[in-house]
Amino acid sequence: MTATADLYDERGDALASVSVQFQDLGGRRAFEGPIRTIRCFRDNGLVKDVLAGPGEGAVLVVDGGGSLESALMGDIMASSAVANGWAGVIIHGAIRDRDVLATLDLGVKALGSNPRKSVKDGAGEVDVPVEIGDVVFRPGGFVWADTDGILVA
């Protein structure tokens, strides 16, 4: 994978750079792939369902509204993502089980962690454009992420 800094030097403003400062919490520090999206708030039912399906190297971008009040993904869902071929997950919200997530071959970027579970009612939307830090993630677009940040085409 090309480093995001080098990729930006090559392509410049053709790429959107996410200004939100995410933490690197997965075992894979650099990841890329086609974008899938979920918009949900303190409900990770859709996250569980989508990560249980074939990832085919995609990156799931979850707009949790920036809430740190409960986790939108933990070790069980992350392990499911690895087993199903997801490259990574970017969560505009919290995760939990960070020590286990750090050992998994999965890119994970999130704002932080909270041991509190989310509800699993399945409220939210899948594969809709989501905006994080003035950058719109569109299903079918492409994302690159590493320790320097996140770029979107």
Side-chain angles (χ1 to χ4, degrees), residues 29-152:
R29 297 295 181 174
F31 57 100
E32 63 184 53
I35 296 169
R36 296 277 315 274
T37 65
I38 293 175
R39 181 183 298 120
C40 58
F41 186 74
R42 298 191 64 197
D43 183 330
N44 66 359
L46 291 174
V47 177
K48 180 181 179 184
D49 292 347
V50 170
L51 291 177
E56 301 172 338
V59 175
L60 181 62
V61 178
V62 181
D63 180 4
S67 174
L68 298 174
E69 296 175 37
S70 60
L72 291 175
M73 185 180 75
D75 60 347
I76 294 171
M77 286 185 204
S79 295
S80 176
V82 171
N84 288 301
W86 291 86
V89 182
I90 298 169
I91 298 179
H92 190 228
I95 56 92
R96 63 188 222 155
D97 304 311
R98 50 191 304 160
D99 287 342
V100 176
L101 267 60
T103 69
L104 298 176
D105 185 22
L106 181 70
V108 178
K109 284 188 174 282
L111 297 180
S113 60
N114 188 326
R116 176 189 270 171
K117 292 181 180 183
S118 293
V119 298
K120 290 177 178 45
D121 295 333
E125 300 172 276
V126 177
D127 289 330
V128 296
V130 298
E131 186 174 332
I132 300 170
D134 295 328
V135 172
V136 177
F137 292 82
R138 296 187 196 306
F142 205 86
V143 62
W144 296 263
D146 64 14
T147 55
D148 276 339
I150 301 168
L151 295 174
V152 179

Side-chain angles (χ1 to χ4, degrees), residues 6-47:
D6 294 337
L7 191 59
Y8 192 84
D9 288 348
E10 291 171 14
R11 298 175 66 182
D13 289 336
L15 299 173
S17 178
V18 178
S19 62
V20 174
Q21 299 298 296
F22 284 86
Q23 295 182 39
D24 291 297
L25 300 167
R28 188 185 296 179
R29 297 295 181 174
F31 57 100
E32 63 184 53
I35 296 169
R36 296 277 315 274
T37 65
I38 293 175
R39 181 183 298 120
C40 58
F41 186 74
R42 298 191 64 197
D43 183 330
N44 66 359
L46 291 174
V47 177

